[in-house]
Amino acid sequence: MFTNLLKNWNRKKLIDKRFDFLFNAPIPNEYVCLDCETSGLNPKKDEILSIGAVHIKENKILMRKTFNIFLKSSKYINPESIKIHHIRPIDLENGINPQDGIYQLLEFIGSRPIVGYYIKFDVAIISKYTKEYIGINLPNETIEVSSMYYKIRKKSTDYEFIDLKFDTILKNLNIPTLGKHDALNDAIMTSMMFLKLRELTPAKTTFYTN
């Protein structure tokens, strides 16, 4: 009940009614997996440089339904961050206006639940833009693959450490490694994690984290 009240309250704050579809009931067994490459790790001050996303329907990744854009940056890109995301200023010269890019992303996502690896960060930095452009935070439910992985790992004691690094999960699930720190490739690999983990997750386990 509280979730519905929060959703309705958020819906009332929407200033661009073209995006009212974000609050529709999601289509069963459809998801969007996304990943953002950013200028840093602070959602309040850093910017999105690229976004990759893919649709998932039932047990399939729809490779014909992919999303991959670069956004123009308003700030100087720290050379140290380039070592991580490998996106150079020249790569962003033909990027699109952030507002247009976020609008395109919202159309791609629709009301589907969003799957990701440490997805709260991606949702937080996307919400910085949606708050400015349409008055609301991104309202979609989210599914965290590292939490799914944690739940299926059998621990011998409550004090056993479980490695939740992206590469570790890929390796233990026997998922091939694509080019890393590419937003679309990361989204595809995370999609494969999600489908594999869903197969391994006991029935009636809740995925959603919000």
Side-chain angles (χ1 to χ4, degrees), residues 17-51:
K17 298 305 180 184
R18 291 178 299 168
F19 296 97
D20 190 69
F21 62 80
L22 294 170
F23 295 93
N24 292 343
I27 301 170
N29 292 316
E30 287 198 14
Y31 309 87
V32 167
C33 185
L34 68 79
D35 180 77
C36 298
E37 295 297 329
T38 63
S39 61
L41 298 176
N42 186 332
K44 293 183 179 179
K45 70 175 185 178
D46 289 311
E47 297 184 338
I48 297 174
L49 304 179
S50 70
I51 308 172

Side-chain angles (χ1 to χ4, degrees), residues 118-148:
Y118 289 104
I119 193 62
K120 284 190 175 182
F121 170 80
D122 297 276
V123 168
I125 200 164
I126 292 170
S127 291
K128 179 177 73 171
Y129 293 82
T130 59
K131 185 81 171 180
E132 177 183 353
Y133 302 147
I134 63 175
I136 61 169
N137 294 325
L138 193 61
N140 304 61
E141 293 179 299
T142 58
I143 300 173
E144 174 55 56
V145 294
S146 66
S147 295
M148 293 176 69

